[in-house]
Amino acid sequence: MGRTELRRQAKLAEQAQRWDDMMKFMNKLANNLESSEDLTSEERNMLGVCHKQVIGQKRSSWRVIKGIESAVAGNSREVQLTQDFKGKVEREIEDICTDIIKLLDEKLLPRSKSVDARVFLYKMRGDYYRYLAEIRAPELQIEVMKLAEESYDEAHSICLASSELRASHPIRLSLALNFSVFKFEILKQPRAALDMAKEAFEAGFRDLEKTDSDSHYKDSKFIIQLLRDNISLWTNDQED
């Protein structure tokens, strides 16, 4: 199948909520790009959506199994069975993260030119290194934590160096959201996470009031609400 057919099949899979199939179609589309070609904005979003859905389900499963593992402590047989199953899910997460990071590093990032594309893709790279850090033992986290932070930092630097992505743009807001979550949950830096979330929330909210007719308005408003929720949660944690 060519690019047009793969994009059509990916959209069909999206409508049917067949996220694994959508991911396969979009990965194939991206891998088949000629050296002079880049993903369109729509294709980038589709790539992000299908991977987010697939990895989200597996991360949710992993958290449930990890909770059960703690609950069955003391029963060696149940612990072993639970750990074996958790290991299976971890390998699936590793495979998805490794594949998309390879695609980003070898195909998509080297040829991306626009500010929004580079921020989107570096943020995505940071996200999937973060997901690897979530499932790894502390002694194995260091390398992927560093790579996640470098990716988020690069995306953040591109934002600051350009005026193309205004404060209320959903790509810029989602970067601040995910980077601050990384700081809070993985780096264990609650103060830095809170400061980043507050800055993005305040700047994004002010800017959004000027752009209520913008095509991104609904997406931006939703991410701003997520930032607000995290700020409230993290502030309460610090007060406790």
Side-chain angles (χ1 to χ4, degrees), residues 128-150:
Y128 285 84
Y129 274 122
R130 170 162 63 94
Y131 303 150
L132 287 175
E134 285 178 347
I135 64 170
R136 290 190 178 178
E139 64 273 14
L140 300 175
Q141 279 185 327
I142 297 174
E143 181 183 1
V144 290
M145 284 171 60
K146 181 180 178 183
L147 289 165
E149 186 169 24
E150 288 174 355

Side-chain angles (χ1 to χ4, degrees), residues 127 130 152 173-201 226-227 230-231 234:
D127 289 341
R130 170 162 63 94
Y152 285 134
L173 287 169
S174 63
L175 169 62
L177 176 69
N178 291 16
F179 197 178
S180 61
V181 168
F182 170 73
K183 287 177 179 290
F184 189 87
E185 294 184 351
I186 305 297
L187 295 183
K188 309 300 182 187
Q189 297 175 352
R191 184 73 255 171
L194 189 57
D195 289 345
M196 175 172 281
K198 281 182 175 179
E199 181 180 352
F201 169 78
L226 294 178
L227 284 164
N230 282 352
I231 290 167
W234 296 343

Side-chain angles (χ1 to χ4, degrees), residues 166-222:
R166 44 192 308 165
S168 62
H169 195 289
I171 293 178
R172 183 164 181 166
L173 287 169
S174 63
L175 169 62
L177 176 69
N178 291 16
F179 197 178
S180 61
V181 168
F182 170 73
K183 287 177 179 290
F184 189 87
E185 294 184 351
I186 305 297
L187 295 183
K188 309 300 182 187
Q189 297 175 352
R191 184 73 255 171
L194 189 57
D195 289 345
M196 175 172 281
K198 281 182 175 179
E199 181 180 352
F201 169 78
E202 291 168 0
F205 186 80
R206 284 195 303 270
D207 192 55
L208 194 65
E209 292 183 319
K210 308 172 191 173
T211 57
D212 57 359
S213 61
D214 190 280
S215 59
H216 300 301
Y217 181 81
K218 288 184 178 179
D219 290 338
S220 299
K221 188 175 181 181
F222 176 70

Side-chain angles (χ1 to χ4, degrees), residues 10-180:
K11 288 181 178 179
L12 184 61
E14 181 178 19
Q15 289 174 315
Q17 297 188 5
R18 298 270 298 182
W19 307 114
D20 286 282
D21 289 334
M22 185 184 180
M23 185 173 71
K24 289 173 186 174
F25 289 130
M26 289 309 301
N27 282 352
K28 188 171 183 180
L29 185 154
N31 274 303
N32 288 351
L33 290 174
E34 298 293 336
S35 58
S36 60
E37 294 180 319
D38 194 5
L39 294 178
T40 65
S41 176
E42 181 187 31
E43 289 167 347
R44 280 196 309 273
N45 288 333
M46 291 171 67
L47 184 75
V49 164
C50 60
H51 280 82
K52 183 178 180 180
Q53 290 289 342
V54 174
I55 201 71
Q57 292 171 354
K58 296 188 185 299
R59 290 170 66 216
S60 178
S61 297
W62 182 83
R63 287 191 291 267
V64 169
I65 297 166
K66 189 171 176 61
I68 293 171
E69 181 185 17
S70 301
V72 299
N75 185 321
S76 59
R77 179 59 178 160
E78 286 197 35
V79 168
Q80 184 60 56
L81 290 170
T82 306
Q83 288 177 342
D84 289 346
F85 194 50
K86 187 180 73 167
K88 177 181 183 296
V89 177
E90 288 173 349
R91 288 188 293 274
E92 292 173 356
I93 292 173
E94 289 264 356
D95 288 345
I96 293 168
C97 291
T98 300
D99 286 349
I100 188 60
I101 289 168
K102 181 180 179 182
L103 180 61
L104 290 166
D105 286 348
E106 296 182 2
K107 282 274 188 178
L108 302 181
L109 279 167
R111 65 187 65 182
S112 64
K113 300 292 190 295
S114 66
V115 169
D116 62 332
R118 292 182 64 76
V119 173
F120 182 97
L121 296 173
Y122 271 113
K123 182 199 80 72
M124 194 172 182
R125 187 175 188 265
D127 289 341
Y128 285 84
Y129 274 122
R130 170 162 63 94
Y131 303 150
L132 287 175
E134 285 178 347
I135 64 170
R136 290 190 178 178
E139 64 273 14
L140 300 175
Q141 279 185 327
I142 297 174
E143 181 183 1
V144 290
M145 284 171 60
K146 181 180 178 183
L147 289 165
E149 186 169 24
E150 288 174 355
S151 302
Y152 285 134
D153 273 332
E154 181 64 24
H156 188 59
S157 296
I158 295 169
C159 275
L160 294 179
S162 171
S163 59
E164 288 188 35
L165 294 182
R166 44 192 308 165
S168 62
H169 195 289
I171 293 178
R172 183 164 181 166
L173 287 169
S174 63
L175 169 62
L177 176 69
N178 291 16
F179 197 178
S180 61

